[in-house]
Amino acid sequence: MIVSTTPTIEGRQIVEYLGIVTGETVIGANIFRDFMAGIRDIVGGRSSSYEEVLKEAKDTALREVIEDAQRKGANAVVGIDIDYETIGQSMLMVSVSGTAVRLL
């Protein structure tokens, strides 16, 4: 499965548009991560625990997009868009969307 943020795939022709595909993941950050992130806010630096959670959420949402596209008979997803949101105090949401297509 070819997955791209671009609207086309260079050297390949889109022969059929199969519709929008989406994937969403909501992950809660636990109190320990919140505590450690708070310390990072004070002393500076990156919060690897939050980065790990965000990567896991992104990978899961992207996997859902690919599975949705496969069910539609696609061999590629173009125009991928990834959005990150916070929900409440400690919930993280990642949503991924794109267009499932069939390439020649």
Side-chain angles (χ1 to χ4, degrees), residues 5 58 62 80-84 94-97:
T5 58
K58 177 194 54 91
L62 193 54
I80 287 286
D81 180 53
I82 303 172
D83 292 311
Y84 297 87
V94 179
S95 59
V96 177
S97 62

Side-chain angles (χ1 to χ4, degrees), residues 8-52:
T8 61
I9 305 298
E10 189 172 340
R12 303 288 296 270
Q13 179 183 357
I14 295 174
V15 294
E16 188 175 5
Y17 289 87
L18 301 168
I20 296 171
V21 288
T22 61
E24 297 83 20
T25 304
V26 177
I27 293 182
N30 67 32
I31 194 164
F32 178 73
R33 283 190 183 122
D34 287 345
F35 175 75
M36 294 305 292
I39 290 174
R40 290 283 183 203
D41 282 345
I42 294 168
V43 298
R46 294 172 60 167
S47 175
S48 61
S49 60
Y50 271 123
E51 289 174 355
E52 186 178 315

Side-chain angles (χ1 to χ4, degrees), residues 6 9-10 13 15 21 26-28 40 46 62 66 68 71 75 77-78 87 90 92 99-101:
T6 61
I9 305 298
E10 189 172 340
Q13 179 183 357
V15 294
V21 288
V26 177
I27 293 182
R40 290 283 183 203
R46 294 172 60 167
L62 193 54
I66 291 168
D68 193 8
R71 282 190 296 274
N75 61 358
V77 180
V78 295
I87 301 173
S90 61
L92 307 169
T99 303
V101 297

